Amino acid sequence: MSRLSPAEIIALDRAHVWHPFTQAQTAPDPVVIERGAGVSLFEPDGREWLDLVSSWWVNLHGHGHAGIADAIAAQARTLEHVIFAQITHRPAAELSARLAAALPAGLERVFFSDNGSTAIEVAMKAALQLHRNQGQNQRRRFLAFDGGYHGDTVGAMSAGVSSGFFNAWTEMLFPVDVLDLPTTWIGDDAVEAKEAAALAALDQHLAAYGDQIVAAIIEPLVQGASGMRMHRAGFLTQAAERLRAAGVLVIFDEVMTGFGRTGAVFACQEVGFSPDFLCLSKGLTGGFLPMALTITTPAVYEAFLDPSVEKAFLHGHSYTANPLGCAAALASLDLTLSADCAAQRQRIERHHRAALAELADLPMVCRPRVQGTIAALTIRMPDGPNGKGGYASPLGAQLTASFRQDGLLLRPLGNVVYMLPPYCISDEQLERGWQGIRRALLALR
Ligand SMILES: Cc1ncc(COP(=O)(O)O)c(C=O)c1O
């Protein structure tokens, strides 16, 4: 096919493509991006965009990173893919071992899948089957926290029902117990009372149903999709310990928080709790290829060992442990574990804190919050900070239009504006982002 003009690409797109999370009837034409370099994305005419959301939270070290691209190219010339049942390969074995070494003790058995949602399905299915394998048929319920989002497949939607995204499919979902999460922000003086109330509610729930619950599923430290809602590590440590004491398996969904987003390489390290299942995706391959992992403990793995095939975990995907994804993940992991990357993440956090301190004076801004490289604020709505938000809020479209003008790729979540940039972002680029946010907020008045 000859080289297409941007207008031709858009025409083909409009005729044939169905975009995710988009109402095509009212959406503006999509932006055509031709290439990426570092934090920047470029349209065919050279117009630059700063990717301040890491392209749906996947990119860690910048677009077009040469080291990751080279690792993928070398792997593609050696072995692009092979069935992963009763066959293995170096990149998968090495990645599993390297992650086991980097994770809290106990998390050492790796199951591969394709995306965040499948990583969650794997954890939920394995947790349920583990109890079945052990003859504990009374454990049938799952527990989640208010505002959690875990993906768009049926189990993940059921666990994330309180995120409010799934009203079109309520008939498909199975019931999940949802408890309050004591979210907090800079200057929140009610946090201790909220945490005490949430722990008391958890105690009560566990006293009533603890022996019926399969697993609890939690986005540690930051709930992404429901608006970068943050909670304190200490609360989660206590909650997770209570769950474990009640025999409830703990699933940490680190699909978004993993690989340095929250400051430490994994949020579970900050929480000081090693879950029974850890779900990783997004940043796993540095944002190059779709892949996901559900990592668990020897105790969980051993519950599936038996002479009978029925007790095995009979689940898998065609592209399981794709060698290209593994090669990308190994290259990205080297970068993520480096001292330079840790310093980049600390610098981003410092910059976020200073920028938010200035913005917090604006009358429409409330609940400023930072966790590592993630910063967010809530726009005060006439009916309160929780009012009228939601993914479909018209406010989001207004803000996005302003960000578009400034060449900033930012996607507000309802009345929440957040930044979650690749770690290679410079101070100057961060400043451009924060100034653009200031301009967009002031234009709302
Ligand atoms: C915390 C969390 N879990 C799971 C998912 C689902 O991941 P995916 O979109 O790759 O299926 C997401 C996606 O945003 C997420 O943020």
Side-chain angles (χ1 to χ4, degrees):
M1 196 182 269
S2 63
R3 197 180 149 77
L4 297 169
S5 71
E8 287 168 328
I9 295 171
I10 290 172
L12 289 181
D13 178 287
R14 283 297 204 185
H16 297 292
V17 179
W18 192 342
H19 284 268
F21 294 111
T22 301
Q23 176 44 269
Q25 187 166 315
T26 53
D29 281 344
V31 177
V32 178
I33 294 296
E34 189 170 65
R35 73 187 176 86
V39 184
S40 301
L41 295 166
F42 296 95
E43 294 185 48
D45 66 1
R47 181 165 193 249
E48 183 192 21
W49 288 76
L50 283 187
D51 183 355
L52 300 176
V53 293
S54 299
S55 283
W56 255 337
W57 321 339
V58 302
N59 192 290
L60 302 186
H61 309 295
H63 292 279
H65 190 283
I68 302 175
D70 288 348
I72 295 170
Q75 184 59 47
R77 282 190 292 269
T78 310
L79 174 68
E80 81 301 335
H81 189 65
V82 63
I83 177 175
F84 204 61
Q86 289 164 10
I87 288 181
T88 193
H89 47 73
R90 182 205 49 87
E94 195 180 333
L95 178 62
S96 304
R98 291 209 52 208
L99 281 169
L103 283 164
L107 287 168
E108 54 190 60
R109 186 62 64 170
V110 178
F111 192 94
F112 287 80
S113 65
D114 300 343
N115 55 64
S117 307
T118 55
I120 298 295
E121 297 292 329
V122 166
M124 294 178 80
K125 286 177 67 175
L128 182 66
Q129 188 183 343
L130 175 141
H131 291 305
R132 292 285 180 280
N133 282 0
Q134 294 177 334
Q136 290 194 50
N137 293 326
Q138 85 287 0
R139 288 195 186 266
R140 289 157 188 253
R141 310 163 76 114
F142 284 89
L143 188 149
F145 283 93
D146 181 45
Y149 171 85
H150 305 287
D152 291 347
T153 49
V154 172
M157 286 198 293
S158 302
V161 69
S162 64
S163 64
F165 290 102
F166 307 126
N167 296 339
W169 304 287
T170 42
E171 291 78 7
M172 291 175 75
L173 308 186
F174 54 82
V176 168
D177 303 343
V178 179
L179 295 185
D180 271 355
L181 186 71
T183 58
T184 191
W185 46 87
I186 296 166
D188 173 19
D189 47 23
V191 62
E192 261 130 38
K194 286 186 286 189
E195 288 177 351
L199 288 172
L202 176 62
D203 285 339
Q204 224 177 2
H205 195 81
L206 290 176
Y209 306 109
D211 61 354
Q212 298 170 36
I213 300 173
V214 174
I217 175 160
I218 302 162
E219 280 179 90
L221 299 184
V222 186
Q223 290 181 323
S226 62
M228 298 299 155
R229 286 160 36 112
M230 301 184 183
H231 56 266
R232 298 201 300 184
F235 162 76
L236 186 50
T237 319
Q238 293 181 66
E241 280 166 358
R242 283 163 155 84
L243 289 161
R244 180 158 285 163
V248 174
L249 294 165
V250 177
I251 303 171
F252 274 6
D253 175 354
E254 291 221 39
V255 168
M256 189 275 281
T257 58
F259 300 102
R261 286 291 174 209
T262 61
V265 178
F266 298 102
C268 62
Q269 294 165 326
E270 265 157 279
V271 177
F273 184 87
S274 189
D276 301 287
F277 294 93
L278 182 75
C279 300
L280 300 172
S281 187
K282 293 199 183 273
L284 171 62
T285 63
F288 274 65
L289 288 162
M291 195 166 79
L293 307 175
T294 305
I295 306 182
T296 189
T297 63
V300 170
Y301 182 70
E302 280 155 23
F304 290 78
L305 302 179
D306 192 81
S308 80
V309 79
E310 283 76 39
K311 288 205 172 172
F313 187 52
L314 301 180
H315 177 114
H317 301 277
S318 314
Y319 280 92
T320 294
N322 174 251
L324 305 181
C326 295
L330 281 164
S332 179
L333 188 62
D334 281 339
L335 297 167
T336 306
L337 295 179
S338 71
D340 279 356
C341 185
Q344 282 175 326
R345 302 199 301 271
Q346 283 159 11
R347 178 179 51 77
I348 293 169
E349 173 163 359
R350 279 196 301 276
H351 200 120
H352 281 339
R353 287 192 184 279
L356 268 184
E358 284 181 21
L359 282 179
D361 290 339
L362 296 180
M364 75 293 279
V365 171
C366 63
R367 301 186 174 181
R369 48 202 186 269
V370 178
Q371 176 69 55
T373 67
I374 307 168
L377 58 87
T378 300
I379 297 173
R380 220 181 278 281
M381 307 300 280
D383 47 345
N386 296 325
K388 191 169 136 326
Y391 207 75
S393 155
L395 190 68
Q398 209 182 324
L399 291 165
T400 305
S402 169
F403 298 144
R404 262 190 179 217
Q405 264 186 347
D406 282 342
L408 302 176
L409 182 51
L410 283 163
R411 287 174 55 91
L413 294 158
N415 62 332
V416 171
V417 178
Y418 74 93
M419 229 199 261
L420 191 153
Y423 305 147
C424 59
I425 194 166
S426 69
D427 279 328
E428 184 270 330
Q429 289 169 320
L430 275 168
E431 203 42 38
R432 264 167 66 194
W434 283 114
Q435 289 306 330
I437 289 176
R438 171 178 284 273
R439 267 192 298 281
L441 291 172
L442 289 173
L444 292 177
R445 282 205 288 184

